[in-house]
Amino acid sequence: MEGPRGLKKDELRSAAELANLVFRHDSPYKMEEEFPLLFSENNLENMRVFVDAGKVVSMVGMCINDVIIMGCMIGAVCIGSVCTHPEYRNKGLASKLLEDATNRAVQEGASLMLVSGDRGLYRRFGCVDAGIYRWYSIKRDQLEVHEKNLTLRKYGEKDVIELVKLHQLEPIRFIRTYEDFKTLLESKRLCDQISETYVVEQNGPVVAYVSLQLPRSRDLPLAILELAGSRVAILKTLRSLMDDVGTESAIVRTTTADVELDHLMVSAGAKRSTGGFMGTVKLIDIERFLESIDTYMTEVIGKRRRKNLSIKYEGKNSELSFTYMDQKFSIRGIDEITSFIFGSVEKQQKLKHANSELEDMLNSIFPMPLVDYGLNYV
């Protein structure tokens, strides 16, 4: 048996066959069509595999992307299509591949791991529920008919460049090339479901877009899982969007940093709830991650206090320590550190009763928003 190693070009079909056997055995859809950036000749080295007798028998797929969070560029790796052939299970192959994938991701500059799953394999590896997101639920009859100067329609190929530009303005996002954006839109998949993308024009120019999961029936809501541009335009055309899709309700998911959308949705009567990331999360290079967000921390607490704030990570004990003057605060365990930095619905670690200047600073910095998958789900 060969591995762990990267996938070879002539093994790409075998990798897709394994993924389809495990995840799509009773479905007409194909994994290689749903996740074109993952099952791509340009991504072979990031498909970590075990191969036996010329067949891929275990696989961990990953895409390495930079993300932007509050002005900071962070290297991220998205893990998906983790599977093992039934005849090769219970041999620890997936665990070895996950470790191998992590090592490669760190070598490629990633410090943040996003996993599209929550099973024991990932939990044992230190991945946790992290990130706090807002869900809004709203019905058609709560919304007004949109203004005449707004036009809602399905996106076309000529719109891709405008979508790229709108996406670039978002403070929390994946960095996508034009080519990748186009490929993801053409796949018509969003977080493992059939999707569609609509644009909103205002007197001609495109001012917003939404990517949504299409409901399976009229009594189910459409689900907007990626959006960019004018929140006002999105809300004012939401009723028309429901009509075009053929449903009576909608849910919208966004980060806690989207204060404008929060105000608009709540004012419109939407029900608001909170939830975690669509999978699990792990910081795989804490020192590099902290370097990446240094500008964010300095902006929040100021240059003087940042200069006097010492941050140290001790890898041997997995302990992160913050020291300010004679004050100290420590967290031990990568899972606890990840939950503290991004917040967690499972673990409420925010220092609710800050009794020192250090704890007050940490409450200002953390939790910081976590990027959401949107079209980049794997």
Side-chain angles (χ1 to χ4, degrees):
M1 187 182 299
E2 301 175 51
R5 63 167 172 80
L7 192 67
K8 297 178 181 178
K9 184 177 179 180
D10 61 0
E11 296 167 339
L12 191 55
R13 178 180 292 275
S14 178
E17 289 174 350
L18 173 62
N20 289 324
L21 172 68
V22 174
F23 298 112
R24 297 291 185 267
H25 63 280
D26 58 351
S27 169
Y29 302 108
K30 302 297 183 183
M31 292 287 286
E32 64 270 31
E33 297 171 358
E34 296 179 47
F35 304 104
L37 297 185
L38 187 65
F39 292 90
S40 166
E41 292 184 5
N42 296 324
N43 197 49
L44 294 176
E45 274 301 313
N46 292 331
M47 302 293 281
R48 310 307 291 177
V49 296
F50 276 105
V51 177
D52 191 27
K55 295 288 186 180
V56 176
V57 297
S58 189
M59 173 174 64
V60 168
M62 64 177 179
C63 287
I64 298 175
N65 305 82
D66 286 332
V67 300
I68 299 290
I69 301 179
M70 307 306 285
C72 302
M73 184 177 294
I74 298 165
V77 55
C78 297
I79 299 290
S81 293
V82 178
C83 53
T84 301
H85 192 283
E87 296 178 4
Y88 290 80
R89 290 175 184 169
N90 301 314
K91 299 178 184 295
L93 299 183
S95 296
K96 292 176 183 177
L97 286 174
L98 193 56
E99 185 71 41
D100 173 71
T102 301
N103 291 336
R104 173 170 172 77
V106 170
Q107 290 173 3
E108 293 296 311
S111 60
L112 172 65
M113 175 181 282
L114 307 173
V115 183
S116 59
D118 190 20
R119 55 189 173 120
L121 169 66
Y122 310 131
R123 292 285 183 161
R124 290 191 297 273
F125 191 64
C127 299
V128 295
D129 170 82
I132 301 174
Y133 301 84
R134 290 196 177 112
W135 290 88
Y136 304 94
S137 176
I138 194 164
K139 295 183 178 180
R140 180 182 179 278
D141 58 14
Q142 293 177 272
L143 299 164
E144 298 178 358
V145 177
H146 73 255
E147 299 171 3
K148 292 182 179 180
N149 66 335
L150 295 174
T151 302
L152 175 79
R153 60 174 174 80
K154 292 180 181 179
Y155 96 97
E157 185 174 348
K158 65 182 179 63
D159 299 312
V160 176
I161 186 62
E162 299 304 322
L163 271 60
V164 170
K165 291 178 180 178
L166 289 170
H167 182 69
Q168 286 179 321
L169 298 175
E170 296 298 310
I172 304 170
R173 63 182 176 89
F174 278 85
I175 293 180
R176 295 192 197 122
T177 64
Y178 173 91
E179 293 83 3
D180 285 354
F181 215 135
K182 185 172 181 291
T183 298
L184 290 169
L185 289 168
E186 289 173 348
S187 73
K188 299 287 186 177
R189 305 295 289 192
L190 177 62
C191 297
D192 217 20
Q193 299 292 328
I194 298 173
S195 71
E196 187 56 83
T197 296
Y198 285 77
V199 298
V200 182
E201 296 173 325
Q202 185 171 24
N203 297 323
V206 175
V207 296
Y209 79 84
V210 294
S211 291
L212 58 120
Q213 293 178 334
L214 295 173
R216 293 188 175 92
S217 63
R218 188 173 181 84
D219 59 335
L220 294 175
L222 63 85
I224 296 175
L225 302 184
E226 178 168 319
L227 56 87
S230 169
R231 273 55 175 168
V232 172
I234 290 171
L235 183 62
K236 287 187 174 182
T237 55
L238 188 51
R239 178 176 174 137
S240 295
L241 179 61
M242 293 183 197
D243 291 341
D244 197 74
V245 170
T247 186
E248 295 293 326
S249 61
I251 57 175
V252 182
R253 174 183 165 95
T254 187
T255 69
T256 53
D258 200 335
V259 293
E260 181 185 8
L261 185 65
D262 181 67
H263 171 73
L264 291 170
M265 295 298 291
V266 172
S267 297
K271 293 182 179 179
R272 180 177 62 191
S273 59
T274 58
F277 182 70
M278 292 181 179
T280 46
V281 183
K282 181 181 180 180
L283 286 170
I284 56 176
D285 189 333
I286 292 176
E287 291 178 320
R288 178 180 287 163
F289 177 83
L290 291 170
E291 290 176 3
S292 299
I293 66 168
D294 189 69
T295 300
Y296 162 76
M297 292 190 288
T298 301
E299 287 183 327
V300 172
I301 63 176
K303 289 183 178 180
R304 180 187 63 80
R305 293 203 293 179
R306 177 64 190 94
K307 183 178 180 180
N308 292 317
L309 175 63
S310 172
I311 306 175
K312 182 179 180 181
Y313 177 67
E314 177 57 57
K316 183 178 181 180
N317 299 317
S318 298
E319 184 175 31
L320 179 62
S321 299
F322 300 89
T323 305
Y324 182 76
M325 305 301 188
D326 59 345
Q327 305 160 25
K328 185 174 182 179
F329 177 79
S330 299
I331 313 171
R332 178 170 290 188
I334 294 176
D335 55 343
E336 297 293 328
I337 294 169
T338 302
S339 296
F340 177 76
I341 286 178
F342 293 114
S344 172
V345 176
E346 287 184 354
K347 301 177 181 180
Q348 297 295 328
Q349 289 185 302
K350 189 174 178 66
L351 307 176
K352 295 181 179 179
H353 304 290
N355 54 16
S356 70
E357 188 173 359
L358 172 60
E359 292 180 353
D360 181 62
M361 283 192 293
L362 295 180
N363 272 340
S364 299
I365 298 169
F366 306 115
M368 62 185 300
L370 178 63
V371 69
D372 209 2
Y373 274 128
L375 293 169
N376 282 85
Y377 181 92
V378 297

